Amino acid sequence: MPTVSSLVQLIEQASAKAILDAPPSDDHGMTESLPFPFMALVGQTEMKTALLLTLINPAVNGVLLIGPRGTGKTTAVRSLADLLPLVPRSLCANGYGCMPEDVEIGGMDAVCAECAKKYGEGDPLATMDRVALLELPLNARLEDVVGGLSERAAAQSKLLIQRGILARADRNLLYVDEVNLLSDEIVDAILDAAAQGQYTVRRGALAATYRARFALIGSMNPEEGRLRPQILDRFGLRIVVRGLTDTAERLEAYRRVRAYLTNPRATVAAFADQTIAAGDEIQTARNLLPDVKLTAAAEKAGLELVQRMKIDSLRAEITLFESARAYAAADSHTEATPADVRAVAPLAVRMRRSDFMGKYFEDRQSEEAEIKTVLDSVIPE
């Protein structure tokens, strides 16, 4: 395995290995989850970089992959399974999600009585656990997404609200394939949860509030319909995924897919060293991230870029700067420079301008100028 100095280089240096000649695995009729290795993906550096930045820093506000069928969007997202980092999970037995930071910020009253007692006795309120990748199926009902009354509890004449997919996605990745085909009510629920980091379910006299601090990853084929502007704005990084144009890359992609279909276990094993190294790099970068600061030059360059691009949404700066910090952390730097801003800028500012809003503001400027002219003639300053 070549020596690499950063996660970025690791992405670019991942190479093929001889795996077609490996003996076929025994088939005992059992199903095993063996996603295609992320490090075996050919090309598509921009897509892979965006996904890894989301793992390092969820504050980039997710990724949207836009492209035709068969370009590897869903495969790339699912292949993140072996790279997911560790995050703290609440050990609250009552399901309130009590965390140590709750006590540090709000005191003992900020957690339930049982967790307050545990904290006072020096017992941990959280444990480290691996991030999970949850997929939101297109046929999901609203109650599946936000939660509803538990059927099991109802059968016992009890009323209990059961957590939905959004609550289970807290501190995890939520993946929505064909996000442009979601129903409006589910889109609205996702938007509300993503904006607040929590949401409330009300069923009659019962109500429950759940944390929902998830990183949203979506993919779509624009041939099948456009995405509502409200949800498009919630995706920090936007990647246009085109088919591979280099014939050598396309041939290599075919060989790796054939190898995977022939013997998935051997394919995963062939890239195991690179996968482990990438996972370690992601965790190291994630741990370093709180210490990464933007230089004044980086801030100035980023603000000027957004201004010149005539982007109105403040989410552009948030995504741009948080992505630059994650990129610097991936390169083991504690300062994000203009070079880091430049590296992530296309991913962060793409598709943020609206022709409609541009025309709307232009019309408003004409009206404002007319108002001022009439005012000057009727009521001079």
Side-chain angles (χ1 to χ4, degrees):
M1 180 178 174
T3 301
V4 294
S5 62
S6 71
L7 181 63
V8 177
Q9 291 178 349
L10 191 62
I11 294 174
E12 297 173 349
Q13 293 183 11
S15 59
K17 293 188 176 183
I19 50 181
L20 287 174
D21 296 332
S25 58
D26 295 332
D27 184 2
H28 299 291
M30 302 294 290
T31 300
E32 184 177 8
S33 177
L34 290 172
F36 190 83
F38 185 86
M39 304 309 295
L41 296 172
V42 178
Q44 305 292 6
T45 299
E46 193 175 73
M47 175 174 65
K48 292 187 287 189
T49 299
L51 292 173
L52 294 182
L53 291 178
T54 297
L55 294 186
I56 294 170
N57 185 6
V60 303
N61 291 325
V63 181
L64 177 63
L65 307 178
I66 306 171
R69 297 178 294 275
T71 49
K73 303 184 297 296
T74 302
T75 298
V77 176
R78 290 174 176 167
S79 70
L80 293 173
D82 293 329
L83 300 177
L84 298 174
L86 298 172
V87 295
R89 301 279 189 196
S90 174
L91 294 174
C92 179
N94 297 317
Y96 295 117
C98 302
M99 297 290 288
E101 57 263 31
D102 295 333
V103 179
E104 296 166 3
I105 296 174
M108 290 297 193
D109 292 338
V111 296
C112 69
E114 188 172 334
C115 287
K117 180 181 177 182
K118 289 170 59 178
Y119 188 86
E121 294 173 350
D123 294 332
L125 298 187
T127 185
M128 298 302 291
D129 188 24
R130 195 165 299 281
V131 168
L133 175 64
L134 283 74
E135 293 193 38
L136 181 69
L138 271 180
N139 61 352
R141 304 169 302 166
L142 182 61
E143 285 206 349
D144 298 329
V145 176
V146 301
L149 293 177
S150 171
E151 295 180 1
R152 180 177 299 180
Q156 300 175 3
S157 300
K158 297 179 181 179
L159 294 179
L160 179 65
I161 293 181
Q162 191 171 21
R163 290 193 306 161
I165 294 175
L166 293 181
R168 298 179 187 278
D170 185 47
R171 291 182 176 266
N172 290 319
L173 299 180
L174 179 62
Y175 174 48
V176 185
D177 193 10
E178 298 180 327
V179 62
N180 52 324
L181 303 183
L182 281 179
S183 65
D184 288 346
E185 62 178 4
I186 292 181
V187 168
D188 292 339
I190 294 175
L191 290 180
D192 290 342
Q196 302 296 328
Q198 63 181 34
Y199 69 98
T200 300
V201 182
R202 289 185 174 85
R203 294 293 182 268
L206 295 180
T209 299
Y210 298 104
R211 289 187 174 94
R213 300 158 296 178
F214 53 83
L216 185 62
I217 300 179
S219 58
M220 59 174 281
N221 178 2
E223 294 177 312
E224 298 172 347
R226 300 187 63 180
L227 189 64
R228 286 173 54 188
Q230 297 97 319
I231 195 166
L232 175 61
D233 192 47
R234 295 296 180 183
F235 289 102
L237 304 177
R238 296 94 183 274
I239 312 301
V240 178
V241 185
R242 297 180 173 88
L244 300 174
T245 57
D246 184 87
T247 55
E249 287 188 336
R250 293 184 74 95
L251 180 59
E252 182 62 23
Y254 158 71
R255 288 171 174 166
R256 296 187 186 189
V257 170
R258 181 188 163 210
Y260 176 75
L261 295 176
T262 303
N263 193 336
R265 188 183 300 279
T267 306
V268 171
F271 289 89
D273 289 344
Q274 296 176 41
T275 299
I276 293 172
D280 291 343
E281 290 280 357
I282 291 169
Q283 191 68 57
T284 300
R286 192 177 176 111
N287 295 339
L288 180 64
L289 184 67
D291 298 325
V292 178
K293 309 297 182 184
L294 287 160
T295 64
E299 293 174 339
K300 180 180 179 181
L303 292 171
E304 185 174 352
L305 170 66
V306 172
Q307 188 176 37
R308 289 196 184 188
M309 290 292 296
K310 298 180 180 180
I311 298 173
D312 294 302
S313 175
L314 291 174
R315 292 192 178 96
E317 285 93 340
I318 295 172
T319 298
L320 179 62
F321 291 149
E322 290 300 316
S323 300
R325 291 179 60 242
Y327 196 88
D331 217 11
S332 301
H333 296 158
T334 55
E335 282 192 341
T337 66
D340 298 309
V341 172
R342 178 184 175 88
V344 301
L347 291 66
V349 303
R350 182 181 291 137
M351 299 172 60
R352 289 194 178 273
R353 294 185 299 188
S354 167
D355 293 337
F356 174 86
M357 293 306 301
K359 181 65 168 57
Y360 179 85
F361 286 132
E362 185 178 327
D363 292 343
R364 298 291 72 74
Q365 286 178 344
S366 298
E367 184 183 33
E368 292 299 323
E370 181 181 357
I371 291 173
K372 186 177 186 307
T373 299
V374 173
L375 273 175
D376 288 344
S377 63
V378 175
I379 312 173
E381 290 185 2

